[in-house]
Amino acid sequence: MHDENEQILYVGKAVDLHNRVRQYFRSGHGHNNSPKILKMVSQISYFEYIITSSEMEALVLECNLIKEHRPKYNTIMTDDKGYPYIKVTISEKFPRLMMSHRMGRDKSLYFGPYTDRSAVHNTIALIKKMFSIRNCNKDLNFGNLDERPCLYHQIGQCDAPCAGYISQEDYHKKIEKAIKFLNGDTKDIIQELKAQMENEASNLEFEKAAKTRDLLDSISKISEKQRVDNNGSEDRDIIAIARNNEDVVISIFFVRDGTLLGRENHHMTSDISDTESDIITEFIKQYYTGTPFVPKEILTESPINEMELITSFLTEKKGQNVYLLVPQKGDKKGLIQLAKDNARLVLEQDIERIKRAEKRTTLACQDIANMIGIEKAIRMEAFDISNISGYHSVASMVVFENGKPKRNAYRKFRLKTVEGPDDYASMKEVLSRRYSDEKLGELPDVIMMDGGKGQVHIAEMVIDSLGLDIPVCGMVKDDNHRTRGLYYKDKEAVFPKGSEALHMITALQDETHRFAITYHKQLRSDSQTHSILDDIEGIGPKRKKALLLHYKDIEKIKTASIEEMEQIEGMNRKAAEAVYNFFN
């Protein structure tokens, strides 16, 4: 649900959207008894729809959209943990199964995300019991064996790899069965559990039968078609087109780490003689020229023109191979159809609204350009610095094109040369890095600074030193911290009250600040598990763990000799020298 300023008020989902939405407008319905809902309904300007392939997909997408946009009328989790995954640590000699709140950048295999935490817990417990997979977190990669296995072995629920009672080869066969089960091959175990439940019920063992029934329920929930991914998985953009005699809509879906994160719709003008291949080719060239992020795969419904040239351009921009694919069958073909359904829906229901919004935002961009006396303000980039007393100083770059956020072009910067809370020096570093790196997208028509005259002058100095000619403008706030006007070339221009240009710049300021704060929170969270050993080149998680297990604390590692460290399992001469040289 959007308001008249394009802000998202609420994100929801339903199998039958007509019935779901109608509840908010029927007199005497329960929704209308809430002052909060009455206020929300009074602000709704229009609805935006996204079609998904399943209820599960809709639920996960709903979560991602709420996290990204944080709508005013949604109830938002403060812990922000999201939906869980089942993680299989296949890189270990004796892999484990566990629940994970995020898909990590490691060599593990991830299943999910799932929406029922209790079902995840039950399923993990069932799989461990069925296939005798270990419950402990012991590091068995270095061959350290226990003299005596734990209680799980005594009750027949673990084959005790910790004591050498099962070979690595046999254990991996059990893991393969567990992975097969998680991939949806649950027929045999379901039949077995159903027979067990019937037998328990016929023997009047109703409590046992109820527990078995609950296990079957958990398997049913967890077995819904889900994505399985490991960290080598490709990020994908899925592009499809819908058109009539006058208009063209391109829908682009974003899949990151195996999860559908969102979509964008773009209205394009074309001639009736243009083919779908012509239109998609032009869209890809224009869209990816202006964004720093290029996914590993781009799926399209029609083959594009100049395939070799465009592939080479995208590969060079990404720094690794990029693949443009036209799927003919399977899941990828299904993703194309999903994007096409959405494009067709937008063309049928929302094209006039999109055209009106485009006209309004285009006029607002021109109003901004006229206010400060520049030729155009189609692409605007804004920057913000976030820190707490200089700790983890970070910066964000947000891009608006034609008055709308272009999220694929956003950029995060972690400060490298500045220590302490020096916003001027921080901004100088960030701007220098942004505008000296051609891979970060096309240059803006105007740079918007959130910080007053000082920040504007710093930006002007950096732009001049790089030999660039980009206007730099300050976004001015009043005493109540509300956007008031624009500061350009030592003069301030005040927005007319309620103008579209004012709404646009306010949205730009808010988005820039939100993006920087979000990144800062992420770094603060990551730092809780950071060790000084992580800063040593060549010392990864396994060697860090081996060093800490051997020496118990950092102080002893600092005083250890190269020869001593070289004897530790998993260390070699080069790694030992790296640690010694780092501390000495």
Side-chain angles (χ1 to χ4, degrees):
M1 301 178 182
H2 290 258
D3 66 13
E4 61 181 7
N5 297 320
E6 307 284 334
Q7 295 298 306
I8 296 176
L9 298 170
Y10 182 80
V11 174
K13 67 184 184 315
V15 174
D16 188 329
L17 279 178
H18 180 268
N19 289 341
R20 176 77 168 85
V21 173
R22 186 175 58 177
Q23 295 172 357
Y24 291 99
F25 298 93
R26 289 170 62 191
S27 59
H29 193 274
H31 277 93
N32 286 335
N33 294 329
S34 165
K36 174 183 173 182
I37 298 300
L38 286 171
K39 187 173 181 181
M40 179 188 77
V41 169
S42 71
Q43 298 176 49
I44 297 171
S45 176
Y46 67 92
F47 296 91
E48 179 183 3
Y49 311 97
I50 299 178
I51 302 171
T52 63
S53 57
S54 68
E55 290 182 63
M56 183 68 71
E57 191 94 309
L59 193 55
V60 174
L61 179 57
E62 178 191 36
C63 177
N64 289 325
L65 291 174
I66 290 171
K67 279 184 181 180
E68 179 182 359
H69 299 289
R70 305 192 77 80
K72 182 177 180 180
Y73 292 98
N74 279 99
T75 301
I76 297 171
M77 293 185 299
T78 55
D79 64 0
D80 210 28
K81 284 182 178 177
Y83 294 125
Y85 296 82
I86 293 178
K87 176 180 177 179
V88 187
T89 59
I90 55 174
S91 61
E92 296 180 340
K93 285 186 177 180
F94 295 94
R96 295 166 291 146
L97 263 75
M98 63 189 73
M99 188 173 81
S100 174
H101 287 297
R102 65 178 67 182
M103 184 181 286
R105 295 278 178 183
D106 53 29
K107 296 179 181 178
S108 297
L109 197 61
Y110 290 84
F111 294 83
Y114 301 109
T115 55
D116 190 319
R117 292 174 190 275
S118 63
V120 171
H121 281 297
N122 289 340
T123 302
I124 290 174
L126 175 65
I127 291 173
K128 286 180 176 179
K129 187 176 180 180
M130 278 172 23
F131 302 112
S132 298
I133 293 171
R134 67 188 182 107
N135 245 309
C136 65
N137 292 323
K138 292 178 180 177
D139 188 348
L140 304 182
N141 288 328
F142 301 114
N144 301 321
L145 299 180
D146 293 339
E147 293 182 5
R148 183 179 174 185
C150 69
L151 183 63
Y152 283 101
H153 176 69
Q154 306 297 332
I155 62 176
Q157 292 188 17
C158 178
D159 288 325
C162 61
Y165 288 8
I166 184 172
S167 69
Q168 188 177 342
E169 182 182 356
D170 289 340
Y171 187 88
H172 271 266
K173 288 179 181 177
K174 293 175 178 287
I175 290 293
E176 287 170 7
K177 290 180 180 178
I179 291 171
K180 189 177 177 183
F181 178 88
L182 287 167
N183 269 323
D185 191 354
T186 58
K187 184 178 179 181
D188 292 341
I189 188 62
I190 286 176
Q191 288 179 347
E192 183 182 319
L193 286 174
K194 281 182 177 178
Q196 179 182 322
M197 181 177 66
E198 290 170 3
N199 184 56
E200 288 165 345
S202 64
N203 292 331
L204 306 182
E205 297 174 314
F206 298 118
E207 288 188 9
K208 287 184 178 180
K211 287 182 180 179
T212 306
R213 178 203 61 204
D214 292 342
L215 272 179
L216 279 165
D217 203 27
S218 292
I219 292 170
S220 176
K221 289 177 181 177
I222 218 76
S223 298
E224 291 184 38
K225 188 177 181 183
Q226 290 289 301
R227 291 185 173 85
V228 53
D229 230 328
N230 57 28
N231 205 49
S233 65
E234 291 82 9
D235 296 329
R236 293 191 183 99
D237 286 355
I238 301 103
I239 300 172
I241 183 173
R243 64 188 302 192
N244 56 26
N245 292 334
E246 299 177 356
D247 299 296
V248 174
V249 170
I250 296 276
S251 270
I252 175 168
F253 274 66
F254 309 111
V255 175
R256 301 292 180 258
D257 285 332
T259 301
L260 178 62
L261 291 187
R263 64 100 194 255
E264 289 180 2
N265 293 310
H266 295 269
H267 173 229
M268 297 187 71
T269 57
S270 70
D271 188 80
I272 196 168
S273 63
D274 291 334
T275 65
E276 291 191 357
S277 293
D278 294 334
I279 296 168
I280 292 175
T281 300
E282 286 306 309
F283 174 79
I284 287 175
K285 288 194 290 188
Q286 293 175 37
Y287 185 81
Y288 292 105
T289 297
T291 176
F293 182 81
V294 179
K296 182 78 171 178
E297 287 185 356
I298 299 173
L299 310 183
T300 64
E301 61 173 316
S302 303
I304 67 168
N305 308 326
E306 305 174 287
M307 172 72 81
E308 188 175 337
L309 177 63
I310 292 175
T311 301
S312 298
F313 162 70
L314 295 173
T315 295
E316 183 179 348
K317 184 165 187 175
K318 185 173 181 63
Q320 55 181 281
N321 287 336
V322 174
Y323 301 94
L324 287 138
L325 307 175
V326 183
Q328 301 300 314
K329 60 182 179 179
D331 290 343
K332 292 181 180 179
K333 177 69 173 177
L335 289 171
I336 289 289
Q337 187 59 49
L338 185 66
K340 192 167 185 67
D341 289 343
N342 277 272
R344 191 179 297 114
L345 180 71
V346 171
L347 185 64
E348 291 171 357
Q349 298 187 355
D350 289 343
I351 190 64
E352 291 304 320
R353 179 187 57 78
I354 289 175
K355 286 158 68 173
R356 287 195 303 271
E358 283 181 351
K359 184 177 180 181
R360 191 169 64 244
T361 53
T362 300
L363 289 173
C365 288
Q366 193 56 51
D367 286 345
I368 290 168
N370 295 340
M371 277 179 68
I372 59 177
I374 62 175
E375 182 181 349
K376 60 181 179 176
I378 295 172
R379 182 182 174 106
M380 296 181 281
E381 293 183 358
F383 298 83
D384 192 21
I385 303 292
S386 176
N387 63 60
I388 297 178
S389 300
Y391 176 70
H392 279 329
S393 290
V394 299
S396 67
M397 180 186 89
V398 164
V399 180
F400 270 36
E401 257 189 26
N402 290 313
K404 297 181 179 179
K406 187 172 185 179
R407 291 186 173 85
N408 265 26
Y410 287 12
R411 187 74 177 176
K412 302 171 183 175
F413 298 89
R414 190 167 181 177
L415 278 299
K416 297 178 178 179
T417 63
V418 181
E419 294 184 6
D422 189 336
D423 282 359
Y424 286 173
S426 298
M427 192 58 72
K428 183 176 180 180
E429 178 192 327
V430 169
L431 293 172
S432 299
R433 285 165 59 186
R434 158 62 181 112
Y435 294 114
S436 59
D437 188 345
E438 293 181 358
K439 292 182 178 180
L440 296 185
E442 62 185 282
L443 296 177
D445 299 313
V446 60
I447 299 169
M448 292 289 182
M449 304 301 298
D450 188 18
K453 298 178 183 179
Q455 295 282 26
V456 170
H457 291 152
I458 286 289
E460 289 173 337
M461 287 170 52
V462 172
I463 296 304
D464 288 344
S465 69
L466 294 173
L468 299 173
D469 183 19
I470 306 173
V472 180
C473 190
M475 297 180 286
V476 181
K477 293 186 177 182
D478 61 20
D479 294 337
N480 295 317
H481 211 64
R482 291 178 299 203
T483 305
R484 181 180 70 199
L486 296 174
Y487 177 81
Y488 180 66
K489 290 190 174 180
D490 297 322
K491 293 181 180 179
E492 182 181 332
V494 178
F495 288 111
K497 190 173 181 180
S499 68
E500 290 293 339
L502 172 61
H503 293 317
M504 184 184 298
I505 294 300
T506 301
L508 178 60
Q509 273 187 305
D510 292 344
E511 179 70 350
T512 307
H513 185 62
R514 179 201 66 79
F515 192 56
I517 291 296
T518 301
Y519 182 41
H520 196 249
K521 283 172 65 178
Q522 174 195 330
L523 287 181
R524 291 205 310 272
S525 175
D526 292 345
S527 71
Q528 303 302 312
T529 58
H530 184 80
S531 163
I532 193 171
L533 297 177
D534 292 318
D535 297 328
I536 305 175
E537 189 174 349
I539 303 300
K542 292 180 181 178
R543 284 177 173 156
K544 179 179 77 170
K545 188 171 185 178
L547 286 167
L548 290 171
L549 285 172
H550 185 83
Y551 289 107
K552 307 303 181 188
D553 64 55
I554 295 292
E555 294 305 316
K556 290 181 181 177
I557 297 174
K558 289 180 179 179
T559 58
S561 67
I562 294 173
E563 289 72 20
E564 287 176 359
M565 287 186 284
E566 196 177 358
Q567 302 306 312
I568 298 172
E569 185 80 31
M571 294 289 287
N572 56 29
R573 181 79 181 183
K574 185 177 179 182
E577 287 177 349
V579 176
Y580 182 85
N581 292 336
F582 182 85
F583 289 118
N584 296 277

